[in-house]
Structure formats: structure tokens, C-alpha cells
Amino acid sequence: MSYDEWFREDRLPHIYCAGCGNGTIINCTLAAVDQMGWKKEDTVFVSGIGCSSRAPGYILTDSLHTTHGRALAFATGVKMAKPAFNVVVFTGDGDMAAIGGNHFIHACRRNIDMTVVCMNNQIYGMTGGQGSPTTPRGCLSSTTPFGCAEPPFDLCELATAAGANYVARWTSYHVKELEKAVKVGLETPGFSFIEVLVQCPTAFGRRNKFRQVMDHVEFLKSHSLLKAKRDRMLDNHEHVPEDMFVVGELTKRNRPAIGVKP
Amino acid sequence: MTRLEFWQGNTACAEGALAAGCNFFGGYPITPSTEVAEHMAAKLPKKGGVFIQMEDEIAGIASIIGASWTGARSMTATSGPGFSLMMENIGFAAMTETPCVVVNVQRGGPSTGQPTMSAQGDMMQVRFGSHGDYAVIALCPATVQEMFELTVKAFNLADKYRTPVFVMADETIGHMREKILVPDSVEKTGRKPFISGTPPFRVTDPDLIPGFPAFGTGQHVHVTGLTHDERGYPAATNPKLHMALVQRLVDKIENARDDMADYDVVNPDAEQVFIAYGAPVRTVMQVMHDKKDNNVGFLRIRTVWPFPEKALAKFKNAKRFLVPEMNLGQIAREIQRHVKVPVVSIAKLGGELHTPADLVTALEEKA
Amino acid sequence: MRHEIRFSGFGGQGIILSAVIIGRAAVMYDNKFAAQTQVYGPEARGGASMSQVVIDDEQILYPKVSIPGIYVIMSQEGFEKYGASAQESAVMLIDSTLVHSRPKCRCIEVPATQQAKQTLKKDIVANIVMLGALVAATHVVSEESLKKAILDSVPKGTEELNLKAMQLGLELGKQP
């Protein structure tokens, strides 16, 4: 089997804009799922509301497209009722970190056995570009017309602090690394969280000096700082530039988990 | 066979759920429903079921909807503030035709109100509380025995009609202890089987209820709260499809009104007729017992939604209906919609059950 | 015959449990009907706690206590809040160690807390002493049923202590 056998062909084409990175993330996720050798009937995709959350609708398994922010709470019900299922959640920065923030930290705390792929485009894309909890300071959105004044969440630090067993961050540029990280996440018992910074040319790029899709992808690439390199810099007391973000495997541990497959 | 117990209403509710085969409880503790969660926490794991205390009531109902799609008989229990939080996902359950049971042990509202006192203030919220059009099934127990029996019934109705079903109890019955005869076993009816390979939301039966394609059975069903076609795929901008879907969701319940009707008629020839559900039933029964007056009738309702309007016609000589409720006349207004004679609301707020004297006074007041 | 009994004291004395035990004795062992209710305050300890039970030979329709015929009062605050308005026809059992007021109705003074402390070295069983006295004075349930209901309700390992407390109460409540 290959990843494209996991698509619902009768649902294509998808709704994503030209230049959107969500398709890349879905492909990487399905490639990792495919490598796990999982059966479709034992696998459930769950999501909330937003661009990211349309993903399960394109995947040929049982899938639950729920209410805004609540994907992890629904997924907790699915997984606890049937631990034999493989549960994967697609979510976004608005869905998971704003309205769903409480469910996020509690799912991490429970360390419930599921893998969460968060497509972080730093904006509410589907509804026309409103600011989200990960919109960087100074960035423009329809609700931060003078530049975002609030500091953003670091979702990975949040997941680590709240208790997740596996935490990684990559971007839509790093397809090989992302696929591998998702696979490690799927293999790790407990809560696995993979944040993927992704370009949104329609809602974010257009307002924030990334008129060309590749300009934003290039930015994501050039501003990624590998965790190993960052750690070396810190050891050497070097200055870590503030506009860089850390990518790589940030947390991997084996804390007690719930809902683990028998 | 039955066995004798002296149980609290909330215990009887939890035991009814266990007898009905409930194997998943997700919820958040809130007075005066907490004993239901506590009892499930103690008992469910021993029966191979799952109890999970979620981070809030939004997550509580979300978890039971998720569990239901795996085939579990799932349940949550709450009271006013938690019930308010659940509203969005109650609409999701109605839209996605997810069987589940929600117990609301009602307390005084609005807001935090009277956490430890009794009320029936959520009777309209249960009917209309989530956005958009839908229909619900709501049952109101008036005894500890009925806390058990109506909880069992709620699971059967939820499965049969593929919809959330509400046990709308009140603090009076939830916290009261009294005699109950617990049956050794109860009737359990399951979900309509799904015909493999057919579109998951296709309806061919006149009851308008689709078969249930549980997760894990290879049907690859997509469940969404968006307006969806019979394949379950989003079709949110299709006006005709939306109209047909919502109409069916309402009709599958409203058309079955008579099948679900559950009420007792006492003295159908009476001119003055009490109508009650939940705790005030007990006061009406006391007044009926004490007065022994054939000219006073009583309609005791257990299925409040869908409202059993045909029951009203049984009282052909009724000159007025008297409706004691622990709210400001929520169901009295529903009754007035169906009858031409006056409907007198005997409203009582504050958390205390109507006394027999309250009802006698209302009865003796001239129309 | 319908008996309406009200218990009051401070939170932590086992006021609610007392009503539950009497109700349980009536339903499970005396083949009667009972309905037990309570008032919940926000305090888990302290404050004035109140619980009530209706006992009847017939099915209980209205489950609340309207006019208590029997009171069991175990704190001064409980007396003031829930006992002072007792009708003259009522009978009130008072823990005379803790309540200094006396009602207008017939009053049976039971030094339950003092006796529990002195004789049994555990004032925690004062409520069970009061139950013994209640049954001796009013016979709302039988002694045997009370004993069984107590054994159903108390923590494992405390059965003997509680039965001694009941026996002490039965003696203290005996009316001439």
C-alpha cells in the first residue's frame, strides 16, 4: 500500500488554496501511517474546525469532524472506549491553541495514546485571516490590523510542560523530517504532538510580505534552527536570534500513558 | 425477580445505566449530579467499562459522542451550568445522529444559582438550547424507582432513534433516598443494524432512522457536524439538502411522539386537572390521595419531550389545567399551545418542592 | 402511620447518615416505606446540618417533612435553626452535652457526646447513641432493624463500637 491509497478519491479535489502547505502535511502524515502497516478499519482520524480539520474528510477511514476546538475531547472518547484503535488528530493553531487550549493541555497531561498533527499557519485561514494565539508579534491579520500586540504561544513548550511523551516541530519545507517525526509519534505510546509551521499564502502571506508562496517556504527554511544546533549555541553562550524557531525532536520520554493499545 | 434497596435517586440513575449496559461515562463533577459520576467511577471499571473525568462539561459530552461511535453505550451527567456548556455538542450529537444519554439533575438557575437546591428550569433549554432546529427526547423521573427505569429507557430510546436522550431529573429526586425494587435484568434494544456497503446516512425505512455504522466495522464512515449528504460528506451550501436533512432529524422524533408517549391519566372526567412531571408529581399525588375528589384529574408525564399532546384530549371535561412546576411556567406554556381552556401555572422557585397546601390553594382559587 | 423526623447538628456529626440509617432500617428490615432528604450547605464541616426522614406503612407520596413530629438535635446552632420552632405536640431528643436551650415540646435529654466520650472513648459515635435513644423513646423502627441498618452503614472494623453506642443510646432513651 502507499499513502495515496488512504485517500477518499470521491472527495477530491480538496478545498485547499493553491500554494497551501496543508496537503504536504497530510501526505507526510499518511506516508508515516502507511509505513505503520495499520489497517484502515482500526484507524480513526479526528479533527475540529478549520482548514486543517478538513483533512479527515479526505481520508478513507472512519473519521470524526467535530466542533471547534474539541477534537481532542472527542478523540479521547474514541480512544478510551476502544484502545485498540489508532487515533490521529489533525488540528490547527486556532482550533487547538485558542478555543481548544484547555483540551490540549489536558490531553497532554493524560498522556493519552494518540498522535496530534497541528498545522500551524499562524492565522485563521478558512475564515479570512483573523489573528490566532500563534500569530507572531507585529504580524498583520484582519483582527490585528496594526500588528499583533500579543506574544504568541510556543505550542511545543506547552505540550512538553503539560506532559506529552513525544514533541517535535518541523515545517512544510522539511517533508522527510516531518514524515519521520510523525512516524516516531505514531510509534510512541502516549501523547505525541507534532507542530508543523505551514505557509498560508491566502490569509497570512498576502498580509505579511510573503506575496510569493516560495518566499514564505524559504523563510520557514532559513529561520528553522535545528535543536542540536540551538543547544550547542546555548552551551557556547552564543546569541540565538529571536526570529528563529527551533525544529527537531524536542521531547521524547516514556511517562505513564493511558489508552495504550493492549 | 427484584431486590429491595434504599437508594438515593442519583445512585438509582447510575445503577440503571449499568443495568442498561452503559460501558462509557465521561463527565465533570457538578452538584447535585456528582453522585452519578462517583457511582460510575466506582462501578464501571469493575464491569469492564470506562470512566473518565474530563476537564469540563464540553469535553464530557464530546467524549461520550466519540465513545458512542465505537459502539459504546455512553453517558454523562451534569446540572445547569454544565448543561449550558454542553449545548454546542448536543447539537453535534443531534446532527450526526449519535446515540448517547445526558442526565441533568436540575438545580436553581440562572448562572451558579442554587447549587444544592431543586429546580426544573432547564425544560426549555433541553428542547431548544443548541442552535438550529432539531428535536429531542427528554424523560422526567418522579421517584427513585423511575430514576432507574427511565435511565434504562433513555439508553434504549437513544439507540432506537439515534439521538441524544435526556434524563431531566431534579435535585429533589436525585438526592432523595427511598425504597426501590431493582430488577435482576432489564430490556435492552440495540441500534438498527447497518447494511454494509450502503451510504452511511441513507434512509430507506419509513421511521427515517439510518442504520448505525460503528467505527471499526470497515465502513469508513465520515461523521461531520456540517450539513452532509447521505454519504456523510459535507454539502453545506446545498439549500435543498440542508432542508431535507434537518426536517428528517426533527421528523424521526416528532413523528414517533405517540410511540414514545409515557403518561398516566387519573380521573379523565374531571373538570380541574393537574399536570406534572418530575418532583411536583409527588405533591399532586399527595393532594389526590388526601382529597379523594373525582372532579380533580391528574396527568402525570414521564416523556416531556416530544410533548404528548394527545394526552390532553383525554380530559374532555377539563375546564382548566393546573401545572405545578419548579420554574416560571415553561411546560405550562407548551400545554397552553394545545388547549383552549385556561392553563394555570403554579410556579415555584427557590429550591423547595411545592407543598400540598400550595396546590390546594391553587385548586381552590376561582378561575 | 406517617412519622416525620428531623435531625440537626453540625456538619461532621453524621446527621445525614443518621437519617439514612433510620430510613434504611424502615425500608430494608421493617417492611415499611421511607423517604430521606437533606439540606446541603457549602460547608463540609461545621455549620448547621439538617436531614429528614418520613417513615410510613404506606407508600410515601409527598416525600418532604412538613411538620416534624420527632426531632433529634445535636448542636445549639442546629436547635436555633431547625429545632426552635417545634410544635408543642412534638417530641425532641437533645444531645444535652452540646445543646443548652430547651424546646416547648416534650424533651428527652440524652448526654450522647459526653457518654460516647466517657464510656466509649469516641465522641464520633454520638449520633449512633442518639439513634439508640430515638428508637427506645419512639419505636419508629424496631431495635433489631436499627441494629442491622447500623451494621450496613458503618465502616468495617467499627461494628462493635457502633453497636455499643446503639446499646448505650437504647438505655439512655428508655422512658419511665
Side-chain angles (χ1 to χ4, degrees):
Chain A
M1 225 160 49
S2 78
Y3 71 89
D4 56 359
E5 286 172 44
W6 289 79
F7 283 114
R8 285 182 197 271
E9 287 187 10
D10 60 348
R11 279 280 287 138
L12 299 174
H14 54 70
I15 62 162
Y16 298 127
C17 303
C20 173
N22 286 358
T24 309
I25 300 166
I26 296 169
N27 281 355
C28 291
T29 305
L30 289 181
V33 165
D34 192 56
Q35 288 167 43
M36 295 297 290
W38 289 349
K39 286 186 190 153
K40 286 178 183 156
E41 55 264 39
D42 296 337
T43 305
V44 180
F45 285 87
V46 185
S47 65
I49 293 294
C51 291
S52 62
S53 296
R54 290 304 187 101
Y58 303 121
I59 299 171
L60 192 60
T61 64
D62 294 319
S63 51
L64 195 53
H65 175 223
T66 69
T67 48
H68 196 23
R70 318 301 173 197
L72 290 169
F74 282 88
T76 298
V78 172
K79 185 61 175 169
M80 291 307 290
K82 268 260 168 77
F85 283 170
N86 312 298
V87 175
V88 181
V89 177
F90 283 114
T91 181
D93 46 308
D95 189 53
M96 189 199 76
I99 188 166
N102 198 30
H103 308 307
F104 176 52
I105 58 174
H106 284 278
C108 291
R109 173 183 64 80
R110 291 188 183 102
N111 208 11
I112 184 166
D113 186 32
M114 58 177 66
T115 298
V116 178
V117 177
C118 177
M119 303 174 187
N120 180 3
N121 60 6
Q122 306 178 313
I123 205 148
Y124 290 83
M126 181 177 272
T127 51
Q130 296 76 34
S132 89
T134 60
T135 302
R137 274 174 68 91
C139 281
L140 299 179
S141 74
S142 69
T143 53
T144 58
F146 311 109
C148 182
E150 300 175 6
F153 262 142
D154 182 323
L155 300 178
C156 289
E157 284 192 11
L158 197 53
T160 300
N165 255 356
Y166 180 75
V167 179
R169 180 190 288 122
W170 291 103
T171 79
S172 55
Y173 170 78
H174 300 93
V175 289
K176 287 272 178 251
E177 294 89 340
L178 173 58
E179 182 182 317
K180 207 174 148 216
V182 174
K183 180 147 183 286
V184 177
L186 299 174
E187 287 165 347
T188 306
F191 195 81
S192 298
F193 176 66
I194 298 105
E195 177 187 356
V196 195
L197 283 154
V198 58
Q199 76 279 12
C200 172
T202 307
F204 188 87
R206 181 164 63 86
R207 290 186 176 88
N208 291 287
K209 297 181 184 156
F210 298 121
R211 289 209 156 263
Q212 298 300 316
V213 173
M214 284 318 292
D215 291 349
H216 197 178
V217 176
E218 182 57 36
F219 176 89
L220 295 176
K221 178 190 166 193
S222 61
H223 287 70
S224 299
L225 183 58
L226 282 170
K227 180 179 181 287
K229 192 174 175 194
R230 196 269 317 255
D231 291 349
R232 270 202 310 276
M233 290 170 80
L234 289 177
D235 286 346
N236 298 335
H237 304 287
E238 287 173 43
H239 174 67
V240 179
E242 268 140 33
D243 60 348
M244 302 281 280
F245 49 87
V246 183
V247 295
E249 193 172 87
L250 304 174
T251 301
K252 191 168 193 308
R253 58 196 173 191
N254 191 20
R255 289 189 176 180
I258 65 165
V260 179
K261 206 185 280 194
Chain B
M1 283 292 288
T2 59
R3 72 173 198 277
L4 175 68
E5 293 287 356
F6 181 62
W7 274 349
Q8 196 178 47
N10 285 345
T11 305
C13 173
E15 285 287 336
L18 293 165
C22 173
N23 50 5
F24 188 97
F25 184 101
Y28 188 84
I30 181 169
T31 305
S33 74
T34 301
E35 294 84 359
V36 181
E38 288 172 339
H39 201 81
M40 295 304 264
K43 290 285 179 75
L44 254 186
K46 289 180 189 162
K47 297 187 91 179
V50 175
F51 170 89
I52 185 162
Q53 181 172 329
M54 296 301 287
E55 51 273 22
D56 57 28
E57 289 87 348
I58 300 172
I61 183 155
S63 72
I64 72 165
I65 294 169
S68 179
W69 276 97
T70 72
R73 276 197 144 183
S74 63
M75 170 192 190
T76 191
T78 190
S79 189
F83 201 52
S84 292
L85 286 180
M86 288 182 183
M87 281 300 144
E88 185 190 12
N89 283 340
I90 284 169
F92 182 88
M95 186 63 147
T96 55
E97 302 181 72
T98 307
C100 56
V101 172
V102 178
V103 178
N104 178 353
V105 185
Q106 295 171 85
R107 66 190 232 184
S111 190
T112 313
Q114 296 181 290
T116 61
M117 302 293 275
S118 192
Q120 297 179 301
D122 310 343
M123 295 309 298
M124 278 293 162
Q125 184 185 26
V126 67
R127 175 64 189 83
F128 293 109
S130 196
H131 54 281
D133 284 289
Y134 62 105
V136 299
I137 302 171
L139 315 175
C140 290
T143 63
V144 170
Q145 188 79 38
E146 284 183 353
M147 281 294 270
F148 184 97
E149 288 168 2
L150 294 188
T151 303
V152 172
K153 189 172 180 171
F155 278 97
N156 288 338
L157 291 173
D159 273 359
K160 182 174 180 186
Y161 292 97
R162 274 193 64 176
T163 191
V165 175
F166 301 87
V167 178
M168 295 298 286
D170 49 64
E171 190 274 343
T172 309
I173 306 301
H175 273 164
M176 179 169 70
R177 284 179 183 81
E178 66 181 351
K179 176 180 167 173
I180 173 174
L181 294 170
V182 184
D184 286 344
S185 66
V186 299
E187 192 197 348
K188 285 176 242 181
T189 54
R191 298 173 192 177
K192 189 186 281 186
F194 183 73
I195 301 163
S196 185
T198 59
F201 291 87
R202 176 173 289 177
V203 172
T204 49
D205 296 335
D207 63 11
L208 306 178
I209 303 160
F212 189 81
F215 285 1
T217 56
Q219 300 305 320
H220 307 152
V221 56
H222 182 56
V223 178
T224 177
L226 283 165
T227 294
H228 46 273
D229 61 21
E230 63 177 21
R231 297 171 301 172
Y233 293 170
T237 53
N238 183 332
K240 274 189 188 155
L241 197 143
H242 181 80
M243 173 82 196
L245 172 62
V246 174
Q247 192 70 60
R248 178 175 69 75
L249 295 181
V250 172
D251 286 348
K252 74 172 178 179
I253 292 167
E254 298 280 335
N255 292 356
R257 188 183 295 267
D258 296 343
D259 296 338
M260 278 183 258
D262 186 353
Y263 56 81
D264 297 337
V265 169
V266 184
N267 294 344
D269 298 325
E271 292 185 352
Q272 304 229 61
V273 179
F274 282 112
I275 302 179
Y277 57 91
V281 162
R282 304 294 292 262
T283 317
V284 178
M285 287 171 77
Q286 187 71 54
V287 171
M288 299 288 291
H289 174 267
D290 296 348
K291 281 195 99 72
K292 295 181 176 62
D293 181 349
N294 288 337
N295 202 28
V296 179
F298 181 29
L299 174 61
R300 171 188 184 171
I301 302 176
R302 293 184 193 84
T303 304
V304 174
W305 300 114
F307 189 78
E309 58 201 48
K310 280 188 187 163
L312 300 171
K314 310 252 177 203
F315 296 92
K316 290 194 174 59
N317 304 328
K319 290 210 168 118
R320 62 173 184 167
F321 291 100
L322 301 120
V323 188
E325 295 178 85
M326 298 172 82
N327 59 46
L328 293 181
Q330 297 189 7
I331 297 299
R333 188 181 297 179
E334 170 69 15
I335 294 163
Q336 187 70 80
R337 240 162 47 81
H338 301 291
V339 298
K340 291 199 172 66
V341 299
V343 174
V344 179
S345 164
I346 310 172
K348 187 155 182 172
L349 297 184
E352 289 174 342
L353 178 60
H354 299 74
T355 63
D358 290 339
L359 301 196
V360 170
T361 305
L363 192 63
E364 286 168 359
E365 263 172 28
K366 280 190 182 136
Chain C
M1 169 156 182
R2 185 174 171 118
H3 292 283
E4 299 194 345
I5 310 166
R6 173 181 286 180
F7 297 78
S8 184
F10 55 78
Q13 274 180 317
I15 292 299
I16 291 176
L17 182 65
S18 298
V20 173
I21 288 172
I22 287 291
R24 186 171 178 84
V27 166
M28 302 299 290
Y29 305 113
D30 270 356
N31 198 27
K32 289 184 178 177
F33 292 85
Q36 180 270 328
T37 54
Q38 60 262 303
V39 170
Y40 291 90
E43 311 93 345
R45 293 289 180 269
S49 167
M50 193 267 271
S51 66
Q52 312 193 113
V53 62
V54 179
I55 295 173
D56 204 331
D57 303 318
E58 292 169 39
Q59 194 178 352
I60 292 165
L61 305 174
Y62 183 65
K64 298 279 185 176
V65 165
S66 313
I67 304 162
I70 302 167
Y71 289 80
V72 179
I73 303 291
M74 294 184 67
S75 77
Q76 182 62 27
E77 194 185 342
F79 175 86
E80 285 162 13
K81 205 163 171 188
Y82 297 112
S85 61
Q87 297 210 337
E88 281 181 31
S89 57
V91 54
M92 186 177 293
L93 289 99
I94 269 184
D95 184 335
S96 52
T97 321
L98 301 175
V99 184
H100 56 76
S101 299
R102 294 294 176 265
K104 288 182 198 129
C105 66
R106 184 161 78 95
C107 179
I108 300 168
E109 297 184 20
V110 186
T113 298
Q114 186 224 347
Q115 283 290 315
K117 216 183 284 185
Q118 215 168 52
T119 317
L120 306 169
K121 313 289 175 212
K122 294 267 184 200
D123 58 356
I124 189 78
V125 292
N127 65 328
I128 304 295
V129 177
M130 290 302 283
L131 284 181
L134 167 71
V135 168
T138 65
H139 307 289
V140 283
V141 297
S142 69
E143 286 180 23
E144 191 54 30
S145 299
L146 176 67
K147 182 178 164 186
K148 287 179 183 163
I150 288 172
L151 291 175
D152 288 346
S153 310
V154 300
K156 269 201 182 110
T158 68
E159 293 91 342
E160 204 181 324
L161 172 69
N162 278 288
L163 289 186
K164 277 184 188 162
M166 181 190 86
Q167 206 54 49
L168 183 61
L170 287 169
E171 298 300 324
L172 293 171
K174 255 184 208 155
Q175 294 304 295

